[in-house]
């Protein structure tokens, strides 16, 4: 449901730009065509990153019983063999996720070792898309409100413009957090573990090694 909602939102915003705002802002045909082509490429890249983030799985499956090369780390909840200490069990997905970063409620899937690059690409492209939408919508709103005084006509793009500003603000915070985690060689779940241990105990725990305390869960 979350995935379909995002797809519909992006497609509606794209077609609104393509058929309503772009023709009014760019009256020259070749400029109109060039901008439409740019937005189409941007939208295709965004949709690819969104779908790859959802479809590419980082789940660890239960190995065969006669496998002699099994690791000594086993999940206490699903019995899967963990290849490293960065593999954690997700209560929502009910399986172990290799290199688990977090469970993304917006995408309804876990972000881990295999799909984390697509997720980072996705949030960067959402930032670029939202910025472009706001940049194209502001001149359209100015023309509708102050030149033609078309209040009703400007209501949908005004609401979408507010949504665009909110998206830009939220994505900037998200990118800042992930860059901070990557610079310290930790994952989101490591940071959550660190904060949880810091609140519950008086132990002095290294920020970079907090994820090791999650290996059995």
């Amino acid at each position: 449901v979350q995935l379909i909602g995002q797809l519909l939102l992006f497609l509606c915003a794209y077609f609104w730009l393509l058929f309503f705002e772009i023709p009014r802002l760019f009256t020259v045909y070749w400029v109109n065509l060039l901008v439409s082509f740019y937005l189409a490429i941007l939208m295709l890249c965004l949709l690819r990153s969104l779908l790859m983030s959802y479809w590419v799985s980082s789940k660890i499956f239960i190995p065969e019983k006669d496998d002699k090369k099994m690791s000594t780390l086993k999940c206490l909840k699903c019995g899967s063999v963990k290849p490293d200490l960065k593999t954690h069990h997700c209560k929502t997905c009910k399986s172990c996720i290799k290199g688990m970063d977090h469970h993304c409620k917006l995408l309804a899937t876990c972000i881990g070792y295999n799909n984390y690059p697509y997720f980072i690409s996705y949030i960067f492209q959402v930032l670029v898309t939202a910025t472009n939408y706001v940049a194209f919508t502001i001149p359209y709103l100015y023309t509708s409100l102050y030149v033609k005084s078309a209040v009703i006509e400007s209501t949908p793009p005004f609401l979408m413009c507010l949504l665009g500003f909110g998206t830009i603000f939220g994505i900037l915070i998200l990118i800042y957090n992930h860059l901070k985690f990557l610079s310290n060689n930790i994952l989101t779940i490591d940071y959550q573990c660190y904060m949880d241990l810091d609140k519950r105990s008086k132990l002095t725990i290294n920020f970079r090694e907090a994820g090791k305390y999650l290996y059995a869960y």
Side-chain angles (χ1 to χ4, degrees), residues 5 15 21 23 44 82 84 86 93 100 109 112 116 122 146 148 151 161 167 178 190 195 203 216:
F15 284 114
E21 297 187 13
L44 289 176
K82 298 185 176 185
D84 50 44
K86 292 294 184 180
C93 297
M100 180 178 177
T109 187
Y116 185 76
Y122 171 63
Y146 295 98
K148 295 187 176 181
V151 179
C161 192
T167 302
H178 278 277
D190 299 337
M195 295 300 294
L203 298 175

Side-chain angles (χ1 to χ4, degrees), residues 117-132:
Y118 296 110
F119 174 75
I120 295 297
S121 175
Y122 171 63
I123 61 177
F124 269 103
Q125 289 174 13
V126 169
L127 176 64
V128 174
T129 302
T131 304
N132 278 272

Side-chain angles (χ1 to χ4, degrees), residues 20-208:
F20 292 95
E21 297 187 13
I22 299 302
R24 180 176 295 184
L25 294 175
F26 304 99
T27 55
V28 180
Y29 175 76
W30 69 270
V31 177
N32 192 332
L33 187 63
L34 187 62
V35 173
S36 300
F37 180 74
Y38 162 73
L39 292 176
I41 296 298
L42 187 65
M43 183 57 60
L44 289 176
C45 294
L46 176 65
L47 294 179
R48 178 185 179 275
S49 297
L50 172 61
L51 295 176
M52 292 298 289
S53 299
Y54 179 78
W55 280 331
V56 176
S57 176
S58 299
K59 293 182 179 180
I60 301 296
F61 299 99
I62 300 176
E64 298 293 335
K65 294 182 179 180
D66 57 350
D67 190 357
K68 298 181 180 180
K69 298 181 181 180
M70 291 191 304
S71 171
T72 56
L73 294 176
K74 285 188 178 182
C75 179
L76 300 179
K77 295 184 177 180
C78 68
S80 298
V81 173
K82 298 185 176 185
D84 50 44
L85 297 177
K86 292 294 184 180
T87 302
H88 307 300
H89 184 86
C90 178
K91 298 179 180 179
T92 305
C93 297
K94 297 180 180 180
S95 63
C96 284
I97 308 298
K98 182 180 179 181
M100 180 178 177
D101 184 79
H102 69 285
H103 180 86
C104 183
K105 296 182 179 180
L106 195 61
L107 297 177
T109 187
C110 269
I111 305 302
Y113 178 81
N114 294 332
N115 59 351
Y116 185 76
Y118 296 110
F119 174 75
I120 295 297
S121 175
Y122 171 63
I123 61 177
F124 269 103
Q125 289 174 13
V126 169
L127 176 64
V128 174
T129 302
T131 304
N132 278 272
Y133 185 83
V134 171
F136 286 123
T137 304
I138 290 178
Y140 178 83
L141 287 175
Y142 176 80
T143 304
S144 300
L145 290 175
Y146 295 98
V147 178
K148 295 187 176 181
S149 299
V151 179
I152 298 179
E153 181 184 349
S154 61
T155 300
F158 176 74
L159 296 177
M160 292 297 292
C161 192
L162 290 180
L163 180 61
F165 276 115
T167 302
I168 292 172
F169 180 74
I171 291 296
L172 285 176
I173 295 177
L174 184 62
I175 291 176
Y176 169 76
N177 288 331
H178 278 277
L179 290 178
K180 181 178 68 173
F181 296 154
L182 289 174
S183 64
N184 287 279
N185 195 27
I186 65 169
L187 300 172
T188 303
I189 194 171
D190 299 337
Y191 178 75
Q192 293 173 347
C193 175
Y194 173 80
M195 295 300 294
D196 185 60
L197 291 173
D198 185 60
K199 291 179 180 179
R200 295 186 181 186
S201 66
K202 297 181 180 180
L203 298 175
T204 303
I205 302 171
N206 192 336
F207 181 75
R208 297 184 180 183

